[in-house]
Structure formats: C-alpha cells, structure tokens
Amino acid sequence: MRFIIEGTGGFTAVHGRRINMTRGDVILTPTWNWHDHGKDGSGPMIWLDGLDLPSFVHFPVHFVEHYKESRYPAENVDTSSSPIVFPWSRMKAALDSVQEDYVVKRYLRGDGSEVSKSLGGCAERLNAGKKSPMVQETASSVYHIIEGSGYSLVNGEKITWKKSDTFCIPAWYTYEHFADEKENVYLYRFDDKPLLNALGFYRTKDTSSECLATAHV
C-alpha cells in the first residue's frame, strides 16, 4: 500500500498502467505485476510504503525479477476508475459524510474485501477537540497524519504529532488519539489486521473468550 505524502509529477506504473501520484492517494502494487516509479519535473516526490516483508522471514517465498529493459512499457490511465487507486478526494468525502466526532473508513475493494490478504488500511477523521475510543488489539499499525495536530496515548506514553508526522503502534499496546482544538484531524493507517484475521489471531481486549472457545460436543 503506497500513501502519497507530498510532491507533484510522480507516477507509479503497474503492469502497463501509469498512475499519477496525488497527495493523499493510496495506490496498490499487486504481486506478480511489473511495476516501477518515476518523476516528471523537479522537486521531490515522497510516499509511505506499507509492506508485508517481515512476513517473509517466516515464509521464504519472496523473490524479485527485473524486467529486461529499464522500464516496462506503460500508458497513462484514468485513475478515477482504477481498482488499485483510492483517491484521497473520494475517501475524504466519505469521512466527511458521517456526522460523528470520530469516523473510520477502511480501504476496501469493490466487492467489500480488504485490499490485500496480508495488509489493510483505513483513513480516520477526528473532530477538533475530540478523542477516539481506547483500543487494544493484536494488530500492529503505522499512522500518518494527513491534516491537523494533536497527540496519542500509546501504552500510557504521550506522542505529540502534527501534519506529515508518522508513528507506529505495536501489537497489544493500548492507544487513543486526541485532536487539538483548532482543526479537525485526518489520519491514514496501515496494519496487519487482514493477515491476523486469516490466521485466526486477531482480537481486541473486548473480544469475548466464548467466541474463541471450541465446542466439544
């Protein structure tokens, strides 16, 4: 999962489809697809990649093949209809359509499934001066601040953040977010929740032990 932090003129090419990078967009680079990156014009292009590489320490199935030329042939595509592009304009509109102080929207495919079997992500809106519920879960996550400022309490430790900051939350650490009074906060997150769900390892502090127990009848 590739989250675009800043810059203009950059692109990700995925198996012949050249996708322009726009701040706040999320772009997928599926396995078994040729892909590369490029930049037209001057100035830096910065993005945050969410990768499942740590999993391959335990599953030795990761390898790479380089294309015979410097770039795989690619053409520009209409990203508004691409299944591997999640425009920030669309996600922000979805968040703002909900009249609550704290809103979470997962990035999902057209059929409602997670974008990957190993990684997932979401965007969150926290209204100015408000806080999110406390969470404790087996998933680990990385947060990036799209807009706004505030702080998070992570296992009792205060982490102060502002626009463009990034921080992580290890598995089973308690956490909650607090927005400053002056403006709403928008956050991006990626996590390993889909992998843990598939393995039967995902749970929260509120998960009932009864739903985890195996019936012996």
Side-chain angles (χ1 to χ4, degrees):
M1 298 182 68
R2 176 161 299 145
F3 178 83
I4 312 306
I5 295 177
E6 66 176 70
T8 58
F11 63 86
T12 293
V14 181
H15 218 78
R17 300 180 295 275
R18 179 170 152 150
I19 300 163
N20 291 326
M21 295 179 177
T22 302
R23 181 178 182 271
D25 288 357
V26 171
I27 302 173
L28 307 181
T29 53
T31 57
W32 291 101
N33 283 251
W34 296 105
H35 86 273
D36 59 29
H37 328 100
K39 175 77 166 64
D40 297 324
S42 60
M45 196 78 207
I46 302 173
W47 63 80
L48 173 66
D49 273 350
L51 303 174
D52 53 6
L53 290 178
S55 303
F56 298 118
V57 173
H58 308 287
F59 303 103
V61 295
H62 181 258
F63 54 90
V64 64
E65 180 181 357
H66 295 284
Y67 188 62
K68 60 184 179 180
E69 305 292 342
S70 60
R71 288 196 182 281
Y72 188 86
E75 298 179 350
N76 290 329
V77 297
D78 179 7
T79 57
S80 64
S81 60
S82 173
I84 62 172
V85 181
F86 299 84
W88 171 239
S89 58
R90 188 185 305 163
M91 176 56 85
K92 184 176 184 297
L95 292 171
D96 291 343
S97 68
V98 181
Q99 300 301 312
E100 296 180 6
D101 288 331
Y102 178 60
V103 185
V104 180
K105 294 283 187 181
R106 297 287 293 180
Y107 289 95
L108 301 173
R109 296 186 181 275
D111 61 1
S113 64
E114 296 278 359
V115 297
S116 164
K117 295 183 184 299
S118 56
L119 288 177
C122 64
E124 306 177 12
R125 191 200 76 226
L126 182 59
N127 285 350
K130 303 300 181 180
K131 65 182 289 292
S132 67
M134 179 181 287
V135 176
Q136 186 177 29
E137 60 184 346
T138 51
S140 56
S141 58
V142 174
Y143 273 93
H144 179 80
I145 312 305
I146 306 172
E147 299 286 351
S149 61
Y151 67 93
S152 296
L153 290 179
V154 180
N155 235 31
E157 179 182 352
K158 183 177 181 179
I159 299 176
T160 302
W161 38 255
K162 61 184 183 304
K163 177 181 175 181
S164 298
D165 285 349
T166 302
F167 65 97
C168 65
I169 299 177
W172 210 242
Y173 276 35
T174 59
Y175 66 91
E176 52 189 329
H177 310 306
F178 298 79
D180 286 344
E181 296 285 347
K182 57 184 179 180
E183 61 180 327
N184 292 347
V185 170
Y186 293 89
L187 308 99
Y188 165 74
R189 155 182 163 147
F190 70 88
D191 54 51
D192 55 2
K193 187 175 177 179
L195 176 63
L196 297 182
N197 270 324
L199 295 172
F201 296 157
Y202 180 77
R203 65 198 63 181
T204 72
K205 68 178 180 64
D206 298 319
T207 301
S208 169
S209 59
E210 289 300 316
C211 74
L212 300 174
T214 301
H216 297 283
V217 294

Coordinates of all heavy atoms in Angstrom, one line a residue, residues 89-167:
S89 N -9.5 12.4 -2.4 CA -10.7 13.2 -2.5 C -12.0 12.4 -2.3 O -12.9 12.9 -1.6 CB -10.8 13.9 -3.9 OG -10.8 12.9 -4.9
R90 N -12.0 11.2 -2.7 CA -13.1 10.3 -2.5 C -13.2 9.8 -1.1 O -14.3 9.8 -0.5 CB -13.0 9.1 -3.5 CG -14.2 8.2 -3.5 CD -14.0 7.0 -4.4 NE -13.6 7.4 -5.7 CZ -13.0 6.5 -6.6 NH1 -12.7 5.3 -6.2 NH2 -12.6 7.0 -7.8
M91 N -12.0 9.4 -0.5 CA -12.0 9.0 0.9 C -12.4 10.1 1.8 O -13.2 9.9 2.8 CB -10.7 8.4 1.2 CG -10.5 8.0 2.7 SD -11.8 6.8 3.2 CE -11.0 5.2 2.7
K92 N -11.9 11.3 1.6 CA -12.2 12.4 2.5 C -13.7 12.7 2.5 O -14.3 13.0 3.5 CB -11.4 13.7 2.1 CG -11.6 14.8 3.0 CD -10.7 16.0 2.7 CE -10.9 17.2 3.7 NZ -12.3 17.7 3.7
A93 N -14.3 12.7 1.3 CA -15.7 12.9 1.1 C -16.5 11.9 1.9 O -17.5 12.2 2.5 CB -16.1 12.9 -0.3
A94 N -16.1 10.6 1.9 CA -16.7 9.5 2.6 C -16.6 9.8 4.1 O -17.6 9.6 4.9 CB -16.1 8.2 2.3
L95 N -15.5 10.2 4.6 CA -15.3 10.5 6.0 C -16.2 11.7 6.4 O -16.9 11.7 7.5 CB -13.9 10.9 6.3 CG -12.8 9.7 6.2 CD1 -11.4 10.3 6.4 CD2 -13.1 8.7 7.3
D96 N -16.2 12.7 5.6 CA -17.0 13.9 6.0 C -18.5 13.8 5.8 O -19.3 14.6 6.3 CB -16.5 15.1 5.1 CG -15.1 15.6 5.4 OD1 -14.6 15.2 6.5 OD2 -14.5 16.2 4.6
S97 N -18.9 12.7 5.2 CA -20.4 12.4 5.1 C -21.0 11.9 6.3 O -22.2 11.8 6.5 CB -20.6 11.5 3.9 OG -20.1 10.2 4.2
V98 N -20.1 11.5 7.3 CA -20.6 11.0 8.6 C -20.6 12.0 9.6 O -19.5 12.6 9.9 CB -19.8 9.7 9.0 CG1 -20.3 9.1 10.3 CG2 -19.8 8.7 7.9
Q99 N -21.7 12.3 10.3 CA -21.8 13.3 11.3 C -21.5 12.8 12.7 O -22.4 12.7 13.5 CB -23.2 14.0 11.2 CG -23.6 14.6 9.9 CD -22.6 15.7 9.5 OE1 -22.3 16.6 10.3 NE2 -22.1 15.6 8.3
E100 N -20.3 12.4 12.9 CA -19.8 11.9 14.2 C -18.5 12.5 14.5 O -17.8 13.0 13.6 CB -19.7 10.4 14.2 CG -21.1 9.7 14.0 CD -21.0 8.2 14.1 OE1 -19.8 7.7 14.4 OE2 -22.0 7.5 13.8
D101 N -18.1 12.5 15.7 CA -16.8 13.2 16.1 C -15.6 12.3 15.7 O -14.5 12.8 15.5 CB -16.7 13.4 17.6 CG -17.6 14.5 18.1 OD1 -17.9 15.4 17.3 OD2 -18.1 14.5 19.2
Y102 N -15.8 11.0 15.6 CA -14.7 10.1 15.2 C -15.2 9.1 14.2 O -16.2 8.4 14.4 CB -14.2 9.4 16.4 CG -13.1 8.4 16.1 CD1 -11.9 8.8 15.5 CD2 -13.2 7.0 16.4 CE1 -10.9 7.9 15.3 CE2 -12.2 6.1 16.2 CZ -11.0 6.6 15.6 OH -10.0 5.7 15.3
V103 N -14.6 9.1 13.0 CA -15.0 8.3 11.9 C -13.9 7.5 11.3 O -12.8 8.0 11.2 CB -15.6 9.1 10.7 CG1 -16.2 8.2 9.6 CG2 -16.7 10.1 11.3
V104 N -14.1 6.2 11.1 CA -13.1 5.3 10.5 C -13.6 4.7 9.2 O -14.8 4.1 9.2 CB -12.6 4.2 11.4 CG1 -11.6 3.3 10.8 CG2 -12.1 4.8 12.7
K105 N -12.9 4.7 8.1 CA -13.3 4.1 6.9 C -12.1 3.2 6.4 O -11.0 3.7 6.1 CB -13.7 5.1 5.8 CG -14.9 5.9 6.1 CD -16.2 5.2 5.9 CE -17.4 6.1 6.0 NZ -18.7 5.3 5.8
R106 N -12.4 1.9 6.2 CA -11.4 1.0 5.7 C -11.3 1.2 4.2 O -12.2 1.6 3.5 CB -11.7 -0.5 5.9 CG -11.8 -0.9 7.4 CD -10.5 -1.0 8.0 NE -9.7 -2.1 7.6 CZ -8.4 -2.3 8.1 NH1 -8.0 -1.6 9.1 NH2 -7.7 -3.3 7.6
Y107 N -10.1 1.0 3.7 CA -9.8 0.9 2.2 C -10.2 -0.5 1.8 O -9.6 -1.5 2.2 CB -8.4 1.2 1.9 CG -8.0 2.6 2.0 CD1 -7.4 3.1 3.2 CD2 -8.2 3.6 1.0 CE1 -7.0 4.4 3.4 CE2 -7.9 4.9 1.2 CZ -7.3 5.3 2.4 OH -6.9 6.6 2.5
L108 N -11.3 -0.6 0.9 CA -11.8 -1.9 0.5 C -11.9 -2.0 -1.0 O -12.1 -1.0 -1.7 CB -13.2 -2.1 1.2 CG -13.2 -2.1 2.7 CD1 -14.7 -2.2 3.2 CD2 -12.4 -3.2 3.3
R109 N -11.9 -3.2 -1.5 CA -12.1 -3.4 -2.9 C -13.6 -3.3 -3.2 O -14.4 -3.2 -2.3 CB -11.6 -4.8 -3.3 CG -10.1 -5.0 -3.1 CD -9.6 -6.3 -3.7 NE -8.2 -6.5 -3.5 CZ -7.3 -6.1 -4.4 NH1 -7.7 -5.4 -5.5 NH2 -6.0 -6.3 -4.2
G110 N -13.9 -3.3 -4.5 CA -15.3 -3.2 -5.0 C -16.2 -4.2 -4.4 O -17.4 -3.9 -4.2
D111 N -15.7 -5.4 -4.1 CA -16.6 -6.4 -3.5 C -16.6 -6.4 -2.0 O -17.2 -7.3 -1.4 CB -16.1 -7.8 -4.0 CG -14.7 -8.1 -3.5 OD1 -14.1 -7.3 -2.8 OD2 -14.2 -9.2 -3.9
G112 N -16.0 -5.4 -1.4 CA -16.1 -5.2 0.1 C -14.9 -5.9 0.8 O -14.9 -5.8 2.0
S113 N -14.0 -6.6 0.1 CA -12.9 -7.3 0.7 C -11.8 -6.3 1.0 O -11.7 -5.3 0.4 CB -12.5 -8.5 -0.1 OG -12.0 -8.0 -1.3
E114 N -10.8 -6.8 1.9 CA -9.7 -6.0 2.1 C -8.8 -5.9 0.9 O -8.9 -6.7 0.0 CB -8.8 -6.6 3.3 CG -9.5 -6.6 4.6 CD -9.4 -5.3 5.4 OE1 -8.8 -4.4 4.9 OE2 -10.0 -5.3 6.5
V115 N -8.0 -4.8 0.8 CA -7.2 -4.6 -0.4 C -6.1 -5.7 -0.6 O -5.6 -5.9 -1.7 CB -6.5 -3.2 -0.4 CG1 -7.6 -2.2 -0.4 CG2 -5.6 -3.0 0.8
S116 N -5.8 -6.4 0.5 CA -4.7 -7.4 0.5 C -5.1 -8.5 1.5 O -5.8 -8.2 2.5 CB -3.4 -6.8 0.7 OG -2.4 -7.8 1.1
K117 N -4.5 -9.7 1.3 CA -4.7 -10.7 2.3 C -3.8 -10.6 3.5 O -4.0 -11.3 4.5 CB -4.5 -12.1 1.6 CG -5.6 -12.4 0.6 CD -5.4 -13.8 0.0 CE -6.3 -14.1 -1.2 NZ -7.7 -14.1 -0.7
S118 N -2.8 -9.7 3.3 CA -1.8 -9.6 4.4 C -1.8 -8.2 5.1 O -1.5 -8.1 6.2 CB -0.4 -9.9 3.9 OG -0.1 -9.1 2.8
L119 N -2.1 -7.2 4.3 CA -2.1 -5.8 4.8 C -3.5 -5.1 4.5 O -4.2 -5.4 3.5 CB -1.1 -5.0 4.1 CG 0.4 -5.2 4.5 CD1 1.3 -4.4 3.7 CD2 0.6 -5.0 6.0
G120 N -3.9 -4.2 5.4 CA -5.1 -3.4 5.2 C -4.8 -2.0 5.6 O -3.7 -1.7 6.2
G121 N -5.8 -1.2 5.4 CA -5.6 0.2 5.8 C -6.9 0.9 6.0 O -8.0 0.4 5.6
C122 N -6.8 2.1 6.6 CA -8.0 2.9 6.8 C -7.6 4.4 6.8 O -6.5 4.7 7.0 CB -8.8 2.5 8.0 SG -7.9 2.8 9.6
A123 N -8.6 5.2 6.7 CA -8.5 6.7 7.0 C -9.4 7.0 8.1 O -10.5 6.4 8.3 CB -8.8 7.5 5.7
E124 N -9.0 8.0 8.9 CA -9.8 8.4 10.1 C -10.0 9.9 10.1 O -9.1 10.6 9.7 CB -9.1 7.9 11.4 CG -8.8 6.4 11.4 CD -8.1 5.9 12.6 OE1 -8.0 6.7 13.6 OE2 -7.6 4.8 12.6
R125 N -11.1 10.3 10.6 CA -11.3 11.8 10.9 C -11.7 11.9 12.4 O -12.6 11.2 12.9 CB -12.4 12.3 10.1 CG -12.5 13.9 10.1 CD -13.9 14.4 9.7 NE -14.9 14.3 10.8 CZ -16.1 13.8 10.5 NH1 -16.5 13.4 9.3 NH2 -16.9 13.7 11.6
L126 N -11.0 12.8 13.0 CA -11.2 13.1 14.4 C -11.5 14.6 14.6 O -10.6 15.4 14.2 CB -10.0 12.7 15.3 CG -10.1 12.9 16.8 CD1 -11.3 12.1 17.4 CD2 -8.8 12.5 17.5
N127 N -12.7 15.0 15.0 CA -13.0 16.4 15.1 C -12.2 17.1 16.1 O -11.7 16.6 17.1 CB -14.5 16.5 15.4 CG -15.4 16.2 14.2 OD1 -14.9 16.0 13.1 ND2 -16.7 16.1 14.4
A128 N -12.1 18.4 15.9 CA -11.3 19.3 16.7 C -11.7 19.2 18.2 O -12.9 19.2 18.5 CB -11.4 20.7 16.2
G129 N -10.7 19.0 19.1 CA -11.0 18.9 20.5 C -11.6 17.6 21.0 O -11.9 17.5 22.2
K130 N -11.7 16.6 20.1 CA -12.3 15.4 20.5 C -11.2 14.3 20.6 O -10.1 14.4 20.3 CB -13.3 14.9 19.5 CG -14.5 16.0 19.3 CD -15.2 16.2 20.6 CE -16.3 17.3 20.3 NZ -17.1 17.5 21.6
K131 N -11.7 13.1 21.2 CA -10.8 12.0 21.3 C -11.4 10.7 20.7 O -12.6 10.6 20.6 CB -10.4 11.7 22.8 CG -11.6 11.3 23.6 CD -11.3 11.1 25.1 CE -10.4 9.9 25.4 NZ -11.2 8.6 25.1
S132 N -10.6 9.8 20.4 CA -11.1 8.5 19.9 C -11.2 7.5 21.0 O -10.6 7.7 22.1 CB -10.1 7.9 18.8 OG -8.8 7.6 19.5
P133 N -12.0 6.4 20.9 CA -12.0 5.4 21.9 C -10.7 4.7 22.1 O -9.9 4.6 21.2 CB -13.1 4.4 21.4 CG -13.8 5.2 20.3 CD -12.8 6.1 19.7
M134 N -10.5 4.3 23.3 CA -9.2 3.5 23.6 C -9.3 2.1 23.0 O -10.4 1.5 23.0 CB -9.0 3.3 25.1 CG -7.7 2.5 25.4 SD -7.4 2.3 27.2 CE -6.8 4.0 27.6
V135 N -8.3 1.7 22.3 CA -8.2 0.4 21.6 C -7.0 -0.4 22.1 O -6.0 0.1 22.3 CB -8.2 0.6 20.1 CG1 -8.0 -0.8 19.4 CG2 -9.4 1.4 19.6
Q136 N -7.2 -1.7 22.2 CA -6.1 -2.6 22.5 C -6.4 -3.9 21.6 O -7.4 -4.5 21.7 CB -6.1 -3.1 23.9 CG -4.9 -3.9 24.3 CD -4.8 -4.3 25.8 OE1 -5.8 -4.3 26.4 NE2 -3.6 -4.5 26.3
E137 N -5.5 -4.1 20.7 CA -5.7 -5.2 19.7 C -4.4 -5.9 19.3 O -3.3 -5.4 19.6 CB -6.3 -4.6 18.4 CG -5.4 -3.5 17.8 CD -6.1 -2.8 16.6 OE1 -7.1 -3.3 16.0 OE2 -5.6 -1.8 16.1
T138 N -4.5 -7.1 18.7 CA -3.3 -7.8 18.4 C -2.7 -7.3 17.1 O -1.6 -7.7 16.8 CB -3.7 -9.3 18.2 OG1 -4.8 -9.5 17.3 CG2 -4.0 -10.0 19.6
A139 N -3.4 -6.5 16.3 CA -2.8 -5.9 15.1 C -1.8 -4.8 15.5 O -1.9 -4.1 16.5 CB -3.9 -5.3 14.2
S140 N -0.7 -4.7 14.7 CA 0.2 -3.6 14.8 C -0.1 -2.7 13.7 O -0.6 -3.1 12.6 CB 1.7 -4.1 14.7 OG 1.9 -4.8 13.6
S141 N 0.2 -1.4 13.8 CA -0.2 -0.4 12.8 C 0.8 0.7 12.7 O 1.6 1.0 13.7 CB -1.6 0.1 13.1 OG -1.6 0.7 14.4
V142 N 0.8 1.4 11.6 CA 1.5 2.6 11.4 C 0.6 3.7 11.0 O -0.3 3.5 10.1 CB 2.6 2.4 10.2 CG1 3.3 3.7 9.9 CG2 3.6 1.4 10.6
Y143 N 0.7 4.9 11.7 CA -0.2 6.0 11.4 C 0.6 7.2 10.7 O 1.8 7.4 11.1 CB -0.8 6.6 12.7 CG -2.1 5.9 13.1 CD1 -2.0 4.8 14.0 CD2 -3.3 6.3 12.7 CE1 -3.2 4.2 14.4 CE2 -4.5 5.7 13.1 CZ -4.4 4.7 13.9 OH -5.6 4.1 14.3
H144 N -0.1 7.9 9.8 CA 0.5 9.1 9.2 C -0.5 10.2 9.3 O -1.7 9.9 9.1 CB 0.9 8.8 7.8 CG 1.4 10.1 7.1 ND1 2.8 10.4 7.3 CD2 0.9 11.0 6.3 CE1 3.0 11.6 6.6 NE2 1.9 11.9 6.0
I145 N -0.1 11.4 9.7 CA -1.0 12.5 9.9 C -1.2 13.2 8.6 O -0.2 13.9 8.1 CB -0.5 13.5 11.0 CG1 -0.1 12.7 12.2 CG2 -1.6 14.5 11.3 CD1 -1.2 11.8 12.8
I146 N -2.4 13.2 8.0 CA -2.6 13.9 6.7 C -2.9 15.4 7.0 O -2.3 16.2 6.3 CB -3.9 13.3 6.0 CG1 -3.7 11.8 5.9 CG2 -4.1 13.9 4.7 CD1 -4.9 11.0 5.4
E147 N -3.7 15.7 8.0 CA -4.0 17.1 8.3 C -4.2 17.2 9.8 O -4.7 16.2 10.4 CB -5.3 17.6 7.6 CG -5.2 17.6 6.1 CD -4.4 18.7 5.5 OE1 -3.9 19.6 6.3 OE2 -4.1 18.7 4.3
G148 N -3.9 18.3 10.4 CA -4.2 18.6 11.8 C -3.1 18.3 12.7 O -2.0 17.9 12.3
S149 N -3.3 18.4 14.0 CA -2.3 18.2 15.1 C -3.0 17.7 16.3 O -4.2 17.9 16.5 CB -1.6 19.5 15.4 OG -2.4 20.5 15.8
G150 N -2.2 17.1 17.2 CA -2.8 16.5 18.4 C -1.8 15.6 19.1 O -0.6 15.8 18.9
Y151 N -2.3 14.6 19.7 CA -1.4 13.6 20.4 C -2.1 12.3 20.5 O -3.3 12.2 20.5 CB -0.8 14.1 21.7 CG -1.9 14.3 22.8 CD1 -2.1 13.2 23.7 CD2 -2.6 15.4 22.9 CE1 -3.1 13.4 24.7 CE2 -3.6 15.6 24.0 CZ -3.8 14.5 24.8 OH -4.7 14.7 25.8
S152 N -1.3 11.2 20.8 CA -1.9 9.9 21.1 C -1.2 9.4 22.4 O -0.1 9.7 22.7 CB -1.5 8.9 19.9 OG -2.2 9.3 18.7
L153 N -2.0 8.7 23.1 CA -1.5 8.0 24.3 C -1.3 6.5 23.9 O -2.3 5.8 23.6 CB -2.5 8.1 25.5 CG -2.6 9.5 26.1 CD1 -3.6 9.4 27.3 CD2 -1.2 9.9 26.6
V154 N -0.1 6.1 23.8 CA 0.2 4.7 23.4 C 0.9 4.0 24.5 O 2.0 4.3 24.9 CB 1.2 4.7 22.2 CG1 1.5 3.3 21.7 CG2 0.6 5.5 21.0
N155 N 0.1 3.1 25.1 CA 0.5 2.3 26.3 C 0.9 3.3 27.4 O 1.9 3.0 28.1 CB 1.6 1.4 26.0 CG 1.3 -0.1 26.4 OD1 0.1 -0.5 26.3 ND2 2.3 -0.8 26.7
G156 N 0.2 4.4 27.5 CA 0.5 5.4 28.6 C 1.5 6.4 28.2 O 1.7 7.4 28.9
E157 N 2.2 6.3 27.1 CA 3.2 7.3 26.6 C 2.5 8.3 25.7 O 1.9 7.9 24.7 CB 4.3 6.6 25.9 CG 5.4 7.6 25.4 CD 6.5 6.9 24.7 OE1 6.6 5.6 24.7 OE2 7.4 7.6 24.1
K158 N 2.8 9.6 25.9 CA 2.2 10.6 25.1 C 3.1 10.9 23.9 O 4.3 11.2 24.0 CB 2.0 11.9 25.9 CG 1.4 13.0 25.1 CD 1.2 14.3 26.0 CE 0.5 15.4 25.2 NZ 0.3 16.6 26.0
I159 N 2.5 10.7 22.7 CA 3.2 11.0 21.4 C 2.5 12.2 20.8 O 1.3 12.1 20.3 CB 3.2 9.8 20.5 CG1 3.9 8.6 21.1 CG2 3.8 10.1 19.1 CD1 3.8 7.3 20.3
T160 N 3.2 13.3 20.7 CA 2.6 14.5 20.1 C 2.9 14.5 18.6 O 4.0 14.2 18.2 CB 3.2 15.8 20.7 OG1 3.0 15.8 22.2 CG2 2.6 17.1 20.2
W161 N 1.9 14.9 17.8 CA 2.1 14.8 16.3 C 1.4 16.0 15.7 O 0.6 16.7 16.2 CB 1.6 13.5 15.7 CG 0.4 12.9 16.4 CD1 0.3 11.9 17.2 CD2 -1.0 13.4 16.2 NE1 -1.0 11.6 17.5 CE2 -1.8 12.5 16.9 CE3 -1.6 14.4 15.4 CZ2 -3.2 12.7 17.0 CZ3 -3.0 14.6 15.5 CH2 -3.8 13.7 16.2
K162 N 1.8 16.2 14.4 CA 1.3 17.3 13.6 C 1.3 16.7 12.1 O 1.7 15.6 11.9 CB 2.1 18.6 13.7 CG 3.5 18.4 13.2 CD 4.3 19.7 13.5 CE 5.7 19.7 13.0 NZ 6.5 18.5 13.6
K163 N 0.8 17.6 11.2 CA 0.7 17.2 9.8 C 2.1 16.7 9.3 O 3.1 17.2 9.6 CB 0.3 18.4 9.0 CG 0.3 18.2 7.5 CD -0.1 19.5 6.8 CE -0.1 19.3 5.2 NZ -0.4 20.6 4.5
S164 N 2.0 15.5 8.6 CA 3.1 14.9 7.9 C 4.0 14.0 8.9 O 5.0 13.4 8.5 CB 4.1 15.9 7.2 OG 3.4 16.5 6.2
D165 N 3.6 13.9 10.2 CA 4.3 13.0 11.1 C 3.8 11.6 10.9 O 2.7 11.3 10.5 CB 4.1 13.5 12.5 CG 4.9 14.7 12.9 OD1 5.8 15.1 12.1 OD2 4.6 15.3 14.0
T166 N 4.7 10.7 11.3 CA 4.4 9.2 11.2 C 4.8 8.6 12.5 O 5.8 8.9 13.1 CB 5.1 8.6 10.0 OG1 4.7 9.2 8.8 CG2 4.8 7.1 9.9
F167 N 4.0 7.7 13.0 CA 4.3 6.9 14.2 C 3.7 5.5 14.2 O 2.8 5.3 13.4 CB 3.9 7.6 15.5 CG 2.4 7.8 15.7 CD1 1.7 6.9 16.4 CD2 1.7 8.8 15.0 CE1 0.3 7.0 16.6 CE2 0.3 9.0 15.2 CZ -0.4 8.1 16.0

